[in-house]
């Protein structure tokens, strides 16, 4: 065997050796346990605290608002979509207050005019033109927006 | 107003017609344009070197080593635009230690490594091994040891050793040609296999990428070869330039024919995506495709190179023309990649609307970053030419 090949074989063995050591050392231990991903990822996700409690939990205290909301177009919305996660609030309602969104932009998250949104499903408003001086909730009742305030 | 809504208003100004929300801003930026461009330069430069070695074209001999070093310098940078495009660049290696056989990018990592380590590095090493031994004896100080390390301990200088160098080097070149085809064909495949995108999804894509790669690689070698002679104040070797020009002309014809075939096929097929694609080509891509890629990058070089096959003006004029053509072709192929990568993201999957690409100046994916990755290979090439000067190689 020519000396060039001998020397190259040594170098390649070292390079491949390093690669396999790196692969062995850095590959997460639980990788491939269930599929082509880190097995521990499932347990990590399982252990995460659930922060959204759902409309049934809200209904326990705020049944008047929940039933009023059912009369309007926001019927299918979870309360926490606008008010934020309620897991702390249900533990101690006095200390942990929920967000009460009142800015135009808050409503704009869903209602801002966007060509990619279906006008038939979600009412679209151009926030730069529609009643610019006022907040949405100055006129609309947020839990049932087609009813107007006095 | 909340900056998020300001941003949305600004973004929507760039939208025409109906597009889906996730299509407003482009996911793949100028850095992803550079990735196939640089890889193509590598494959092209290497193929020129290999053809030279396999078919023993005398006139191309002065460019042989330069082509290899150019290919090597660019190959080292080829994945950098991809890595700097990542949200977490320091985690790039994860794709290599847990590769999935259905991941086109993971497999590219191995195609790339095969080409870098088995083909290009080995070919250069076998070409230079004898010179490393000689230089390690002649040089003094640190450089003596640098060259000694580069020999990897294979210090033989006998006739038999040289014969082995040549024999194995030749074998690697023969293996290298299909490998270079694989490397860049694969880049074309990555785009051509995106079935959801009618501008990309075509079996012609790997072939078109390959031939445009050869065109750009040859143009780059022409540019680098002339540049090196200019910097070293050497006379340009006209038979060499004419020879490169001739091959550039031939490959350019094939490339242009294949790309035209692809377009004619689209036009005749005129499937449901045809309307939006024809609007794209005549509208948003008019400058980059019609002017830069076709006119500047293809038709003008074809006309001039074609003319040179029948009528040879004075050396001085040909020299200037070759230099300008190399820049035109390099620019044209860059815009070919641009038209594929950016063009493919400008129209909506709904086939009813367009978005706009705004190239930023700074930032992770801006113009400066792109420019940086285009300049670095020239720096590496300059270093390689200093470390491994082809003009000081021993002629056997």
């Amino acid at each position: 065997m020519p000396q060039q090949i001998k020397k190259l074989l040594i170098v390649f063995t070292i390079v491949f050796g390093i690669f396999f050591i790196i692969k062995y050392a850095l590959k997460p231990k639980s990788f491939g346990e269930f599929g082509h991903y880190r097995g521990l990822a499932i347990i990590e996700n399982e252990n995460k605290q659930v922060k959204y409690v759902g409309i049934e939990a809200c209904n326990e205290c705020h049944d008047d608002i929940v039933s009023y909301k059912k009369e309007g177009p926001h019927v299918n919305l979870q309360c926490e979509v606008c008010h934020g996660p309620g897991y702390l609030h249900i533990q101690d309602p006095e200390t942990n207050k929920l967000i009460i969104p009142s800015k135009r932009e808050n409503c704009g998250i869903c209602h801002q005019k966007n060509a990619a949104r279906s006008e038939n499903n979600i009412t679209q408003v151009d926030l730069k033109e529609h009643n610019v001086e006022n907040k949405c909730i100055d006129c609309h009742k947020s839990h049932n927006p087609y009813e107007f305030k006095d | 107003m909340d900056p998020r809504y300001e941003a949305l208003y600004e973004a929507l100004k760039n939208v025409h017609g109906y597009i889906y929300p996730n299509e407003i801003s482009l996911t793949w930026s100028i850095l992803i344009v550079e990735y196939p461009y640089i890889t193509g330069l590598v494959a092209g430069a290497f193929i020129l070197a290999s053809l030279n070695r396999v078919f023993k074209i005398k006139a191309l001999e002065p460019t042989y080593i330069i082509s290899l070093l150019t290919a090597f310098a660019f190959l080292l940078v080829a994945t950098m635009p991809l890595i700097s495009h990542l949200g977490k660049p320091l985690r790039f290696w994860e794709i290599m230690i847990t590769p999935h056989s259905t991941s086109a990018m993971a497999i590219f990592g191995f195609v790339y490594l095969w080409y870098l380590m088995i083909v290009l590095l080995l070919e250069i090493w076998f070409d230079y091994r004898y010179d490393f031994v000689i230089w390690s004896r002649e040089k003094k100080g640190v450089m003596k040891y640098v060259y000694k390390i580069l020999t990897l301990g294979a210090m033989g200088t006998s006739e038999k050793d040289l014969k082995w160098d040549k024999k194995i080097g030749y074998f690697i070149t023969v293996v290298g040609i299909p490998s270079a085809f694989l490397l860049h064909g694969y880049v074309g495949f990555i785009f051509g296999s995106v079935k959801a995108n009618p501008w990309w999804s075509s079996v012609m894509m790997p072939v078109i990428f390959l031939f445009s790669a050869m065109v750009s690689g040859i143009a780059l070698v022409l540019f680098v070869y002339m540049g090196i002679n200019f910097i070293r104040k050497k006379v340009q070797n006209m038979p060499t330039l004419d020879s490169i020009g001739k091959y550039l002309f031939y490959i350019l014809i094939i490339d242009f024919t294949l790309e035209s075939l692809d377009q004619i096929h689209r036009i005749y097929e005129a499937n449901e995506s045809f309307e939006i694609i024809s609007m794209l080509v005549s509208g948003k891509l008019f400058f980059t495709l019609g002017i830069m890629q076709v006119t500047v990058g293809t038709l003008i070089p074809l006309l001039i190179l074609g003319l040179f096959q029948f009528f040879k003006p004075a050396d001085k004029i040909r020299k200037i023309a070759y230099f300008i053509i190399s820049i035109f072709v390099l620019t044209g192929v860059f815009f070919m990649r641009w038209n594929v990568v950016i063009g493919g993201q400008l129209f909506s999957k709904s086939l009813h609307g367009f978005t706009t690409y705004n190239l930023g100046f700074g930032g992770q994916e801006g113009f400066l970053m792109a420019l940086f990755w285009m300049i670095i290979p020239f720096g590496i090439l300059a270093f390689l030419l200093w470390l491994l000067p082809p003009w000081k190689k021993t002629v056997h």
Side-chain angles (χ1 to χ4, degrees):
Chain A
M1 191 192 282
Q3 58 162 336
Q4 293 95 315
I5 299 285
K6 275 186 211 159
K7 303 289 179 187
L8 280 175
L9 277 178
I10 297 171
V11 173
F12 271 81
T13 313
I14 295 171
V15 169
F16 281 110
I18 292 172
F19 176 77
F20 283 110
I21 291 169
I22 290 175
K23 189 174 158 73
Y24 178 76
L26 294 182
K27 192 168 145 183
K29 288 286 166 284
S30 63
F31 191 90
E33 206 175 325
F34 306 115
H36 197 81
Y37 55 90
R38 206 164 46 86
L40 276 177
I42 293 181
I43 297 162
E44 280 168 21
N45 279 319
E46 236 174 39
N47 292 340
K48 277 184 186 165
Q49 188 175 15
V50 178
K51 295 185 174 174
Y52 287 88
V53 293
I55 196 164
E56 291 77 17
C58 310
N59 196 39
E60 284 177 20
C61 306
H62 307 284
D63 55 327
D64 51 335
I65 302 177
V66 171
S67 54
Y68 178 59
K69 187 172 82 68
K70 277 184 188 160
E71 292 168 19
H74 283 169
V75 55
N76 290 325
L77 278 190
Q78 288 282 338
C79 310
E80 290 162 299
V81 169
C82 302
H83 295 289
Y87 72 113
L88 292 175
H89 179 70
I90 58 167
Q91 287 165 14
D92 184 359
E94 288 309 311
T95 343
N96 305 311
K97 297 283 185 197
L98 285 184
I99 310 158
I100 302 178
S102 60
K103 289 183 191 160
R104 289 170 65 83
E105 288 83 21
N106 296 122
C107 305
I109 290 174
C110 299
H111 296 289
Q112 162 57 33
K113 200 173 172 62
N114 183 334
R117 261 191 210 131
S118 168
E119 178 78 31
N120 299 332
N121 294 332
I122 304 171
T123 308
Q124 302 286 286
V125 180
D126 192 337
L127 291 186
K128 279 201 166 169
E129 284 179 5
H130 180 80
N131 216 352
V132 182
E133 300 298 313
N134 298 305
K135 290 178 183 172
C136 310
I137 56 166
D138 286 350
C139 307
H140 298 273
K141 291 187 175 175
S142 52
H143 294 112
N144 189 351
Y146 283 132
E147 285 203 354
F148 294 93
K149 291 180 178 170
D150 302 325
Chain B
M1 195 184 261
D2 188 311
R4 284 179 302 167
Y5 299 101
E6 282 294 339
L8 183 63
Y9 268 104
E10 281 308 308
L12 286 175
K13 277 184 198 162
N14 298 325
V15 169
H16 306 280
Y18 178 87
I19 77 167
Y20 297 123
N22 57 341
E23 295 168 333
I24 295 174
S25 59
L26 271 63
T27 325
W28 288 357
S29 65
I30 188 170
L31 292 177
I32 307 299
V33 176
E34 272 189 352
Y35 153 63
Y37 183 57
I38 296 180
T39 321
L41 294 173
V42 175
F46 180 81
I47 289 168
L48 183 69
S50 310
L51 294 177
N52 174 11
R53 182 162 185 169
V54 174
F55 297 110
K56 298 189 174 60
I57 301 156
K58 200 95 195 123
L60 286 180
E61 230 161 54
T63 64
Y64 172 68
I65 289 288
I66 292 174
S67 312
L68 282 185
L69 294 181
T70 307
F72 184 51
F74 278 78
L75 190 65
L76 289 178
V77 181
T79 55
M80 287 303 157
L82 284 179
I83 292 172
S84 46
H85 165 82
L86 293 175
K88 301 253 183 210
L90 294 177
R91 283 168 53 177
F92 76 93
W93 48 269
E94 288 186 7
I95 201 172
M96 301 298 294
I97 62 162
T98 55
H100 197 293
S101 57
T102 58
S103 159
M105 272 329 290
I107 302 302
F108 176 79
F110 291 97
V111 172
Y112 172 85
L113 278 184
W114 161 266
Y115 186 72
L116 173 69
M117 289 178 58
I118 312 289
V119 178
L120 206 46
L121 262 179
L122 280 191
E123 181 157 347
I124 294 174
W125 188 76
F126 276 106
D127 271 327
Y128 271 98
R129 195 198 60 86
Y130 179 79
D131 301 283
F132 288 154
V133 178
I134 303 294
W135 292 338
S136 73
R137 287 177 191 158
E138 285 173 357
K139 300 273 175 183
K140 290 196 173 79
V142 186
M143 291 316 290
K144 183 184 177 73
Y145 294 100
V146 170
Y147 288 119
K148 209 164 195 172
I149 292 168
L150 287 175
T151 63
L152 302 177
M155 300 290 281
T157 50
S158 66
E159 273 298 314
K160 206 174 142 202
D161 290 322
L162 279 175
K163 222 176 211 171
W164 272 112
D165 281 343
K166 278 197 175 161
K167 217 186 251 179
I168 304 171
Y170 186 81
F171 175 74
I172 294 169
T173 311
V174 173
V175 176
I177 296 175
S179 302
F181 276 52
L182 175 72
L183 177 77
H184 205 65
Y186 196 90
V187 177
F189 166 79
I190 290 178
F191 288 95
S193 60
V194 180
K195 60 187 166 199
N197 192 319
W199 184 232
W200 291 343
S201 178
S202 157
V203 281
M204 294 284 284
M205 208 56 130
V207 189
I208 290 174
F209 262 57
L210 191 59
F211 276 90
S212 59
M214 284 158 76
V215 166
S216 65
I218 295 172
L220 178 67
V221 172
L222 181 62
F223 178 79
V224 168
Y225 177 67
M226 292 186 82
I228 289 173
N229 282 340
F230 179 76
I231 292 167
R232 295 184 65 228
K233 298 191 174 64
K234 298 280 173 193
V235 183
Q236 303 283 3
N237 185 349
M238 285 319 286
T240 303
L241 293 187
D242 285 334
S243 239
I244 304 177
K246 192 172 71 184
Y247 284 101
L248 184 58
F249 177 61
Y250 293 157
I251 307 287
L252 202 52
I253 289 178
I254 301 176
D255 181 39
F256 186 53
T257 314
L258 286 172
E259 285 191 40
S260 308
L261 182 65
D262 188 40
Q263 295 308 330
I264 290 166
H265 190 244
R266 279 175 204 279
I267 293 167
Y268 186 73
E269 216 179 35
N271 64 21
E272 70 274 12
S273 63
F274 180 68
E275 200 180 340
I276 189 100
I277 285 179
S278 62
M279 282 166 79
L280 178 77
V281 168
S282 57
K284 287 190 176 273
L285 292 188
F286 180 73
F287 176 72
T288 54
L289 182 77
I291 308 287
M292 297 311 284
Q293 183 188 332
V294 177
T295 311
V296 173
T298 313
L299 291 179
I300 295 175
L302 262 182
L303 271 175
I304 299 174
L305 289 171
L307 191 72
F308 285 179
Q309 307 306 313
F310 302 104
F311 164 74
K312 283 207 180 349
D315 284 4
K316 201 175 172 189
I317 295 174
R318 287 214 311 287
K319 251 188 281 182
I320 298 169
Y322 282 135
F323 193 70
I324 294 173
I325 284 171
S326 72
I327 295 171
F328 273 25
V329 170
L330 283 170
T331 313
V333 175
F334 175 81
F335 279 102
M336 183 264 174
R337 311 296 191 229
W338 175 282
N339 294 326
V340 171
V341 177
I342 303 294
Q345 300 172 85
L346 287 180
F347 65 94
S348 168
K349 301 292 170 288
S350 68
L351 309 179
H352 285 100
F354 291 105
T355 187
T356 308
Y357 176 54
N358 295 319
L359 173 63
F361 186 69
Q364 193 184 348
E365 306 210 22
F367 172 76
L368 280 182
M369 182 64 109
L371 187 68
F372 177 72
W373 290 126
M374 275 321 297
I375 291 172
I376 289 293
F378 288 101
I380 297 175
L381 180 61
F383 172 74
L384 288 174
L385 289 171
W386 168 79
L387 185 70
L388 318 168
W391 40 89
K392 287 188 185 162
K393 262 178 82 57
T394 327
V395 184
H396 310 304

